[in-house]
Amino acid sequence: METDCIFCRIVGGGTDTEFIYQDEEVVVFRDIHPHAPVHLLIVPRRHVRSVNDLTEADAPLVARMILAAREAARLQGVDASGYKLLFNVEWGAGQRVFHLHLHLLAGKRWAEGG
Ligand code: AMP
């Protein structure tokens, strides 16, 4: 746990953030500034700075994040209609919280390929 990391505080229960889904490895909660009607963040309990800091040993964690996203989409009722999964990797790509997270966006129509 990193004391100055907002997602570590959320994972640790130090905020009133509601978890949409949780298991031993990840938690899922709503983005505070949503970019779509459904905008969730899939966050590992363990602090990993970014995709660039993942190791080979983290492969099961990444798979767990994707499966948690799929389950959260089902719970939110957007699994069949569709959803996007997105990692922002490093500052230049828009990463602003340096605790690994996967965005799940759904509930609006995107243009072809958008
Ligand atoms: P990124 O730009 O990929 O680092 O995404 C970080 C996301 O975390 C942004 O979409 C923020 O709106 C979101 N965020 C930051 N603080 C919180 C918070 N306390 N609770 C929920 N979402 C947050």
Side-chain angles (χ1 to χ4, degrees):
M1 166 142 176
E2 304 268 319
T3 47
D4 59 348
C5 170
I6 179 61
F7 285 1
C8 281
R9 279 210 283 133
I10 290 173
V11 164
T15 70
D16 58 5
T17 305
E18 179 195 351
F19 294 156
I20 302 294
Y21 168 90
Q22 59 179 311
D23 62 31
E24 324 76 61
E25 291 190 86
V26 307
V27 303
V28 180
F29 52 87
R30 290 187 187 84
D31 196 293
I32 204 166
H33 298 302
H35 288 260
V38 177
H39 186 171
L40 306 179
L41 299 171
I42 296 87
V43 177
R45 291 183 183 275
R46 178 163 59 86
H47 184 89
V48 177
R49 204 190 66 88
S50 103
V51 165
N52 280 349
D53 296 82
L54 288 165
T55 68
E56 288 291 325
D58 292 322
L61 175 63
V62 176
R64 170 56 42 204
M65 290 175 73
I66 294 171
L67 292 172
R70 184 183 68 178
E71 177 60 8
R74 191 188 68 77
L75 292 170
Q76 294 288 293
V78 297
D79 52 334
S81 52
Y83 53 97
K84 288 180 183 289
L85 297 178
L86 173 78
F87 284 104
N88 291 327
V89 185
E90 302 297 340
W91 186 267
Q95 185 174 3
R96 295 296 179 265
V97 175
F98 287 87
H99 179 133
L100 185 68
H101 53 281
L102 176 60
H103 293 259
L104 184 158
L105 298 145
K108 70 179 208 181
R109 290 183 72 89
W110 280 275
E112 296 281 321

